[in-house]
Amino acid sequence: MTDTPRTLFQKIWDDHVIERDDNGTCLIHIDRHLVHEVTSPQAFEGLRMAGRPVHALDKTLAVIDHNVSTAPDRLTNLGNEDSRIQIETLRTNCEEFGVQLFDISDKRQGIVHIVGPEQGFTQPGMTIVCGDSHTSTHGAFGALAFGIGTSEVEHVLATQSLIQSPAKSMRITVEGKTAPGVGAKDIILAIIGEIGTAGGTGYVIEYAGQAIRDLSMEGRMTICNMSIEAGARAGMVAPDETTFQYMKGRPMAPKGDHWDMAVKWWKSLATDEGATFDREVVLKAEDIAPIVTWGTTPEDVVPITGSVPNPDDFDDENKQNSARRMLDYMGLTAGTNMTDIKIDKVFIGSCTNGRIEDLRVIADLVKGKKVAANVEAMVVPGSGLVKQMAEDEGIADILKEAGFDWREPGCSMCLGMNPDQLSPGERCASTSNRNFEGRQGKGGRTHLMSPAMAAAAAITGKLTDVRELTE
Amino acid sequence: MTPFTHLNAKAAPLPMMNVDTDIIIPKQFLKTVKRTGLGVSAFYDIRYNDDGSVRDDFAPAQDAYKGAEILVTGENFGCGSSREHAPWAILDMGFRCLIAPSFADIFYNNSFKNGILPITLPKDQVTQLMQEVQENPDATIEIDLEKQTVTRGNKFSFHFEIDPFRKHCLLNGLDDIGLTLEKSATIRSYEEKRHAEKPWL
Ligand code: SF4
């Protein structure tokens, strides 16, 4: 087996198989399990009813993120009754079962997919799961990371393993260098536009090529994060020097001799020359412009220089009908220039783009400028540590000065489980990952884009080509 | 888990593509700490008017489809978030079988864990089935998991594919965790070996 060239995914998979049955279904070992308040209560309840303990406490970490308030008074005000119950349920469960929890008062608290990498809990070569579809984020480290449902959360808590059938493999190569003003978010939106929201179903995607290699860990996380938006089970990037630099010295990363052993192993994980994929897709980085979405699925993308598409122009009748419905929901008319679309709100944050690098980009752009009078703009750092860094670096002051609302960390308006929501008909430039109907609030209209593009929109009050602001 | 062997039931049509889990169960209902009781809130935004009455264009909630246990729908059903609240809500609404040209991975997986059978059929067969249940709300559709067939009287019968392990678990109502715990010794020895090789993990 070691002689046949293998992909990164195959290597990690093979390394984790505990048992394989005749049909190829495997019991695989799970190295890391992240837990949050929304998808875990019923799992802990199941354990309790069966009298089962948590199998591996050192491999389990819990955070509160989804429906935590992002307001300054949140330590004393947990929000509405349901949110309070869910948060307190997680606290009680963690205490009862002995699971480590980053509670709201902890500086390390934040969005689960920002916290894992930040702590070094996420490492190359691992299998990482969480009851959350954006677990694919952690694949940026060369880990096999995927979202699971609550029954599986319970399964992992009880056994530190999962029953899985192997996925198909896809490699997406982004060749060459991106143009100025184009970043990781534009690359992944371009990819989803290319393969569609179901294009990755059944696959684990490996991202490769110079444009991917050139990205920082933050950028790679943005890419892998949205793999699920293409329907993929997981997304991954082979670990390299960029990865090791990021990992080194993180609180939960290996230390001393273990570090050297780990790096040696991590280096062996890259896809072998000659390994084959079930599907290959190639994009040219130079063809990618800053991108925004116009519809209510992440595949409905258009370059900012383009216009709202005409439903009649789609080949498939189903797509024509759904495009009509989407334009109606989004309150858009075919043919309108994207840059003529006015916005009401800006949301910068989420596990896609709530990291320090994202905040640095927007601070550079908005320094000395003001948020447009018609716009309410909020910035929600992805974790307490990101918030701290941004405050230390003066980023928070720049943003506040420009008129942005500077919040406490959490998922916030990415899904609007807390009071951070759009009102019906409100239009939002958002750095999150889903533009589904009602995602950011009932009747709310979401345009997905990069942090730079969202910041540009905040300043001009309409969708804007960020390159015009920087030229 | 309740075993799934046979189902003879009415089917309701939901002819939409990309029905995501935010549509199946909107976020305001995720705050529950229980598995049950989500049925009335399922498909909330496309099912109810602002005044709380049922929308005319949401077929599964019309009287004609009362008692339906099968939902026939479009491509990429269940895409989006991993929330298991989606299959819980669908089950609580009374559906035990879903038929579509394709399902999103996590949702597909979650369905089995709750005793729901998601059936993937080629697009033209789903279209035929959709037409049938739209024209004849009373039509009984027969699902035979053992034989892997979807049958409408003597009008048509389609064969579907399913992973043998999943089929076995559904037919016998097996609980995954119980099955896995029987392998505790194998799990332990894997973990010991792994720890010896990679002690930092
Ligand atoms: S930020 Fe959004 S996508 Fe990410 S975990 Fe939170 S709710 Fe999910």
Side-chain angles (χ1 to χ4, degrees):
Chain A
M1 177 172 269
T2 41
D3 296 328
T4 336
R6 289 183 300 164
T7 64
L8 165 63
F9 165 61
Q10 281 163 343
K11 289 181 190 182
I12 299 181
W13 182 268
D14 292 345
D15 189 41
H16 288 85
V17 172
I18 300 172
E19 199 178 84
R20 189 188 317 258
D21 79 8
D22 298 342
N23 302 309
T25 304
C26 296
L27 183 66
I28 64 164
H29 173 73
I30 300 300
D31 290 309
R32 292 291 184 267
H33 186 194
L34 291 150
V35 172
H36 67 81
E37 77 276 20
V38 180
T39 54
S40 68
Q42 296 85 353
F44 281 111
E45 183 62 21
L47 288 187
R48 192 177 290 119
M49 275 157 47
R52 291 168 179 151
V54 173
H55 181 88
L57 289 170
D58 57 334
K59 295 178 166 57
T60 313
L61 177 64
V63 294
I64 296 170
D65 57 2
H66 276 67
N67 57 50
V68 70
S69 159
T70 60
D73 68 344
R74 65 182 190 158
L75 284 181
T76 46
N77 181 2
L78 288 182
N80 72 19
E81 186 62 7
D82 291 341
S83 292
R84 192 187 60 73
I85 292 175
Q86 219 165 40
I87 290 170
E88 287 182 349
T89 304
L90 183 63
R91 284 179 179 155
T92 323
N93 285 332
C94 286
E95 198 171 345
E96 180 183 335
F97 288 90
V99 173
Q100 184 178 10
L101 169 70
F102 290 173
D103 208 331
I104 309 175
S105 55
D106 194 317
K107 267 265 171 295
R108 298 168 297 178
Q109 176 268 340
I111 305 169
V112 65
H113 310 308
I114 297 215
V115 169
E118 196 168 71
Q119 291 301 317
F121 188 70
T122 300
Q123 296 169 23
M126 287 180 160
T127 45
I128 303 172
V129 297
C130 173
D132 190 282
S133 59
H134 292 98
T135 309
S136 59
T137 313
H138 308 261
F141 290 79
L144 175 61
F146 52 92
I148 56 178
T150 299
S151 296
E152 289 177 314
V153 169
E154 185 181 339
H155 193 281
V156 177
L157 287 172
T159 68
Q160 204 58 32
S161 70
L162 270 181
I163 301 167
Q164 295 276 304
S165 348
K168 291 179 284 182
S169 62
M170 183 189 312
R171 177 161 58 191
I172 299 183
T173 308
V174 188
E175 288 173 344
K177 284 189 171 298
T178 47
V182 176
K185 187 64 163 283
D186 303 301
I187 297 179
I188 188 62
L189 285 171
I191 289 173
I192 299 166
E194 175 78 20
I195 70 172
T197 49
T201 305
Y203 289 94
V204 166
I205 299 175
E206 178 175 345
Y207 300 97
Q210 189 186 356
I212 304 291
R213 288 271 142 245
D214 285 351
L215 291 171
S216 63
M217 284 318 293
E218 282 85 352
R220 294 179 191 181
M221 284 189 253
T222 301
I223 301 260
C224 289
N225 173 274
M226 289 192 70
S227 305
I228 184 71
E229 267 28 275
R233 191 90 178 112
M236 55 201 338
V237 176
D240 59 11
E241 279 309 319
T242 307
T243 322
F244 310 147
Q245 285 300 324
Y246 180 99
M247 293 287 316
K248 187 137 200 176
R250 303 257 157 203
M252 298 180 182
K255 309 251 158 24
D257 286 353
H258 286 170
W259 171 262
D260 299 331
M261 288 165 77
V263 171
K264 188 163 169 248
W265 175 51
W266 295 343
K267 284 184 173 163
S268 73
L269 293 172
T271 293
D272 296 326
E273 187 98 24
T276 52
F277 289 82
D278 297 305
R279 186 176 171 199
E280 296 254 18
V281 174
V282 180
L283 272 79
K284 285 205 171 56
E286 61 186 41
D287 296 344
I288 302 174
I291 287 177
V292 292
T293 59
W294 58 268
T296 57
T297 83
E299 72 181 25
D300 307 314
V301 298
V302 58
I304 184 65
T305 48
S307 55
V308 177
N310 187 336
D312 297 338
D313 294 343
F314 291 101
D315 305 335
D316 179 336
E317 195 190 317
N318 287 331
K319 187 70 196 181
Q320 290 176 358
N321 291 334
S322 76
R324 275 184 207 107
R325 186 190 149 102
M326 290 195 276
L327 288 192
D328 183 43
Y329 179 86
M330 291 295 289
L332 293 173
T333 316
T336 310
N337 291 329
M338 293 313 287
T339 48
D340 287 339
I341 299 173
K342 275 211 163 107
I343 54 157
D344 308 300
K345 288 209 165 142
V346 170
F347 170 66
I348 295 173
S350 87
C351 58
T352 314
N353 285 119
R355 283 171 284 266
I356 188 68
E357 186 183 68
D358 303 314
L359 304 188
R360 287 182 188 136
V361 168
I362 56 169
D364 270 357
L365 264 162
V366 307
K367 190 167 186 172
K369 300 191 174 78
K370 288 277 181 222
V371 169
N374 60 312
V375 172
E376 262 178 61
M378 72 193 303
V379 182
V380 184
S383 73
L385 294 175
V386 169
K387 179 165 187 265
Q388 180 77 61
M389 264 189 283
E391 284 169 356
D392 293 348
E393 292 178 22
I395 290 173
D397 288 335
I398 294 174
L399 296 177
K400 284 191 261 184
E401 187 67 21
F404 285 88
D405 187 8
W406 179 245
R407 313 287 292 189
E408 294 295 319
C411 292
S412 180
M413 212 205 276
C414 174
L415 91 166
M417 272 189 83
N418 69 2
D420 308 341
Q421 291 190 10
L422 297 179
S423 306
E426 270 187 334
R427 189 178 299 284
C428 180
S430 180
T431 68
S432 55
N433 44 53
R434 287 190 176 136
N435 50 351
F436 298 163
E437 280 186 24
R439 171 80 176 178
Q440 296 192 291
K442 190 170 182 195
R445 295 161 171 166
T446 303
H447 295 274
L448 302 176
M449 65 195 73
S450 71
M453 289 284 288
I459 300 302
T460 62
K462 56 195 188 64
L463 300 185
T464 300
D465 189 336
V466 62
R467 295 171 296 188
E468 279 167 20
L469 229 68
T470 47
E471 261 160 23
Chain B
M1 204 171 68
T2 331
F4 187 115
T5 49
H6 253 95
L7 188 61
N8 260 317
K10 291 199 319 192
L14 184 64
M16 283 170 73
M17 299 164 67
N18 294 316
V19 174
D20 58 66
T21 54
D22 281 69
I23 295 182
I24 300 173
I25 186 79
K27 58 191 160 256
Q28 63 267 36
F29 306 110
L30 303 186
K31 294 186 177 180
T32 175
V33 291
K34 302 202 163 44
R35 280 182 165 90
T36 48
L38 288 166
V40 289
S41 316
F43 301 102
Y44 198 84
D45 291 340
I46 56 169
R47 175 173 171 185
Y48 299 110
N49 292 305
D50 288 342
D51 65 3
S53 58
V54 170
R55 281 170 59 150
D56 298 335
D57 57 357
F58 185 73
Q62 308 303 319
D63 284 344
Y65 293 102
K66 224 184 169 99
E69 292 180 62
I70 302 164
L71 187 70
V72 185
T73 186
E75 278 142 307
N76 201 24
F77 188 81
C79 59
S81 101
S82 65
R83 61 188 70 160
E84 200 161 314
H85 307 70
W88 294 336
I90 285 175
L91 188 65
D92 204 52
M93 211 180 154
F95 296 110
R96 287 215 64 200
C97 174
L98 310 171
I99 302 177
S102 61
F103 293 91
D105 277 344
I106 305 180
F107 176 84
Y108 185 74
N109 206 14
N110 282 340
S111 297
F112 284 102
K113 310 276 177 203
N114 292 283
I116 299 173
L117 172 63
I119 296 178
T120 310
L121 287 178
K123 210 168 155 179
D124 55 320
Q125 296 182 354
V126 176
T127 308
Q128 204 179 330
L129 193 60
M130 185 77 79
Q131 257 172 14
E132 177 67 13
V133 303
Q134 281 175 324
E135 285 161 15
N136 298 311
D138 286 325
T140 302
I141 309 292
E142 187 190 350
I143 312 287
D144 186 331
L145 177 55
E146 185 59 58
K147 292 206 202 110
Q148 301 177 211
T149 51
V150 176
T151 309
R152 161 67 180 136
N154 43 25
K155 278 195 171 169
F156 52 76
S157 184
F158 304 133
H159 181 83
F160 63 88
E161 294 302 328
I162 180 171
D163 171 75
F165 176 73
R166 287 186 157 132
K167 176 177 174 180
H168 174 75
C169 289
L170 262 190
L171 282 173
N172 299 290
L174 295 176
D175 149 42
D176 282 357
I177 300 181
L179 284 176
T180 301
L181 283 173
E182 287 171 13
K183 298 174 185 161
S184 287
T186 321
I187 294 177
R188 285 278 172 216
S189 72
Y190 173 92
E191 288 176 345
E192 277 160 23
K193 185 168 144 269
R194 186 164 184 78
H195 185 72
E197 284 169 5
K198 301 181 180 92
W200 65 90
L201 285 174

